[in-house]
Amino acid sequence: MRKAAWVLPSHIENSGGFRTVFQNINCLLLHGYRCDVYIEKRGCTDAASNLKRMAEQYFGVCGCRYFTTYKFHGTYDIMFATSWKTAEAVKQYPKATKKVYFIQDFEAAFYPAGTEYLAACASYCQGLYPITIGRWLAAKMADHYHVDARYFDFCADTDIYRDLHRKREKAVCFIYQPHKPRRCSRLGLQALGIVSVLRPDVKIYLFGSDRKPRVPFAYESRGCLSVEQCNALYNQCMAGLCISATNPSRIPFEMMAAGLPVVDLHLENNLYDMPQEGVLLAHYTPQSIAAALLELLDHPKKAKQMSQGGQRFMKDRTLAYGFDQFYEAVTDVLSDGKRKNRHGMKTVACAEPVRMYRHAPVISSMRENKAMQKLCRCKNFWVAQLGGKPPWWIRLLKNSRIVRSIYGRLQGDSL
């Protein structure tokens, strides 16, 4: 029986990243591995039994052992670092035959340029074998860090995310997660504000957070949804907005599986994994994002074609397909890259990633730019810019008679 160790950050939370880790731990368990999970202890409540209970509550039963320490026990055939903060601990352990870096995002981008940014970058140079979710990260490891990476594709649970063949509203749903800067919640709200100015009849749904932003347009907040509720919402709308400034989220792929065309940013991080048949990538301005959404809302025939294209793309990208790719990558690492498929070719897991999306970005027209100007004159513009409550100095200025008088003379309007 092969033995694997997974080294996780210092707490478990109900997030997509942890869900992916535990799904792939279960994949190895099903292939006969024995898996140990190591988590750094923080506080007296983080007993191993509590961590096991939390993991099973969030992610289902997982037959692994839990340890609240980075003092590893015994020898392992393979050991996984799962974040930049765990890479050094895995590198230093001498009793692991192979050491893998399970990379789900370019974590250096989570920090401003400084010590933590550079430390996260340095973690990719520790001599660990990268296995990435998605092709962009594999390409980045090769281009920037000169490391050959294996990858597995973004997949979806097609038993849950599927087209229910219902009549769709003229509506947009936006994954609003203000606690994750890489999801660009403010940029998304500004784009939706432009859509609301140009198409007041379009219904806007926010989901993914219980926070309700103060913005100058009507919307319905659905809060945090179950996967079944997400699929129902995706089947209710004509367009989905999910912004990714780093590695893509799983959400666009789940939207496509449900038949929902997606709008995201035309950035390098999205060009390797997003199919042009089911996704519109826009320039990173509110006006251009709004233009992409309007292209779907105003052209039902194109929206339907993209709905079908996205479903075709996701048809074979089931969770089982992704697990097979992951296991193939692990096997390839253990065999020192000598594993071949039945045709004598290199396996998919170590194939060189290439760009999938080749269309030009959607660029805004004068129509969206004028709508942005109108939005800027709105009394709640600062709230819309900040995606929440304006800072104290803005509130103070808004209540100043002198400032209001000057602004009124210049703009012909008041704050």
Side-chain angles (χ1 to χ4, degrees), residues 98 129 148 150 327-351:
K98 299 292 182 183
Y129 295 90
D148 290 331
R150 286 80 173 167
Y327 183 69
E328 183 180 88
V330 170
T331 305
D332 189 69
V333 169
L334 290 171
S335 66
D336 293 318
K338 298 176 182 178
R339 184 171 181 262
K340 308 285 184 179
N341 62 22
R342 66 173 181 264
H343 303 294
M345 304 293 289
K346 291 179 72 174
T347 61
V348 172
C350 55

Side-chain angles (χ1 to χ4, degrees), residues 173-176 205-209 222-223 225 230 233-234 255:
C173 59
F174 171 47
I175 175 69
Y176 173 68
Y205 296 98
L206 306 184
F207 71 105
S209 173
R222 292 290 182 91
L225 303 178
C230 284
L233 179 61
Y234 300 160
M255 287 179 170

Side-chain angles (χ1 to χ4, degrees), residues 11 15 85 99 129 165 178 247 265 274 304 318 341 369:
H11 65 283
S15 69
K85 294 181 180 180
K99 299 174 182 179
Y129 295 90
H165 302 288
N247 205 34
L265 300 181
M274 297 285 194
K304 185 176 181 179
T318 63
N341 62 22
N369 294 332

Side-chain angles (χ1 to χ4, degrees), residues 150-164:
R150 286 80 173 167
Y151 64 83
F152 58 100
D153 287 314
F154 287 94
C155 298
D157 187 341
T158 51
D159 291 332
I160 294 176
Y161 297 102
R162 63 190 192 281
D163 191 346
L164 301 178

Side-chain angles (χ1 to χ4, degrees), residues 401-415:
R401 291 184 179 179
I402 297 175
V403 171
R404 292 175 67 180
S405 175
I406 294 173
Y407 185 90
R409 290 181 182 180
L410 292 174
Q411 301 291 335
D413 198 356
S414 64
L415 289 172

Side-chain angles (χ1 to χ4, degrees), residues 146-204:
H146 311 292
V147 179
D148 290 331
R150 286 80 173 167
Y151 64 83
F152 58 100
D153 287 314
F154 287 94
C155 298
D157 187 341
T158 51
D159 291 332
I160 294 176
Y161 297 102
R162 63 190 192 281
D163 191 346
L164 301 178
H165 302 288
R166 297 174 180 172
K167 185 177 180 180
R168 296 177 182 268
E169 298 179 15
K170 195 171 185 180
V172 177
C173 59
F174 171 47
I175 175 69
Y176 173 68
Q177 295 177 315
H179 58 290
K180 295 181 180 180
R182 62 189 181 276
R183 296 292 172 239
C184 305
S185 58
R186 181 173 61 185
L187 182 62
L189 292 175
Q190 292 169 344
L192 293 173
I194 295 172
V195 172
S196 71
V197 169
L198 294 173
R199 299 290 184 275
D201 59 324
V202 171
K203 187 72 180 284
I204 295 173

Side-chain angles (χ1 to χ4, degrees), residues 253-312:
F253 302 91
E254 293 166 348
M255 287 179 170
M256 283 188 284
L260 182 64
V262 180
V263 171
D264 205 328
L265 300 181
H266 195 284
L267 296 173
E268 184 184 13
N269 56 290
N270 290 323
L271 301 181
Y272 286 84
D273 296 286
M274 297 285 194
Q276 53 199 30
E277 299 85 1
V279 179
L280 276 180
L281 297 183
H283 185 57
Y284 46 86
T285 64
Q287 297 94 319
S288 296
I289 296 170
L293 290 170
L294 291 172
E295 193 168 329
L296 295 172
L297 293 167
D298 292 346
H299 302 92
K301 185 176 180 180
K302 179 171 184 176
K304 185 176 181 179
Q305 289 174 345
M306 292 189 64
S307 171
Q308 294 170 345
Q311 289 179 76
R312 284 194 301 270

Side-chain angles (χ1 to χ4, degrees), residues 64-272:
C64 53
R65 298 190 303 173
Y66 293 85
F67 301 93
T68 55
T69 179
Y70 281 176
K71 295 180 179 179
F72 310 124
H73 308 286
T75 60
Y76 292 98
D77 297 288
I78 191 166
M79 195 172 203
F80 295 86
T82 58
S83 72
W84 72 271
K85 294 181 180 180
T86 65
E88 180 67 25
V90 170
K91 176 188 175 183
Q92 295 299 332
Y93 189 61
K95 297 181 180 180
T97 305
K98 299 292 182 183
K99 299 174 182 179
V100 169
Y101 199 163
F102 188 83
I103 306 176
Q104 299 192 65
D105 212 331
F106 183 60
E107 292 181 287
F110 297 178
Y111 305 98
T115 301
E116 288 181 311
Y117 174 89
L118 295 175
C121 288
S123 70
Y124 305 122
C125 308
Q126 300 280 19
L128 309 181
Y129 295 90
I131 296 179
T132 70
I133 178 169
R135 306 179 181 206
W136 170 66
L137 285 172
K140 192 170 185 67
M141 291 300 107
D143 295 343
H144 293 264
Y145 301 97
H146 311 292
V147 179
D148 290 331
R150 286 80 173 167
Y151 64 83
F152 58 100
D153 287 314
F154 287 94
C155 298
D157 187 341
T158 51
D159 291 332
I160 294 176
Y161 297 102
R162 63 190 192 281
D163 191 346
L164 301 178
H165 302 288
R166 297 174 180 172
K167 185 177 180 180
R168 296 177 182 268
E169 298 179 15
K170 195 171 185 180
V172 177
C173 59
F174 171 47
I175 175 69
Y176 173 68
Q177 295 177 315
H179 58 290
K180 295 181 180 180
R182 62 189 181 276
R183 296 292 172 239
C184 305
S185 58
R186 181 173 61 185
L187 182 62
L189 292 175
Q190 292 169 344
L192 293 173
I194 295 172
V195 172
S196 71
V197 169
L198 294 173
R199 299 290 184 275
D201 59 324
V202 171
K203 187 72 180 284
I204 295 173
Y205 296 98
L206 306 184
F207 71 105
S209 173
D210 291 326
R211 288 175 57 179
K212 297 181 179 180
R214 294 173 57 199
V215 290
F217 59 84
Y219 69 89
E220 181 179 323
S221 175
R222 292 290 182 91
C224 296
L225 303 178
S226 67
V227 292
E228 293 81 8
Q229 290 171 326
C230 284
N231 185 62
L233 179 61
Y234 300 160
N235 276 269
Q236 192 173 344
C237 299
M238 286 184 64
L241 177 59
C242 179
I243 302 177
S244 302
T246 56
N247 205 34
S249 167
R250 282 185 178 273
I251 290 171
F253 302 91
E254 293 166 348
M255 287 179 170
M256 283 188 284
L260 182 64
V262 180
V263 171
D264 205 328
L265 300 181
H266 195 284
L267 296 173
E268 184 184 13
N269 56 290
N270 290 323
L271 301 181
Y272 286 84

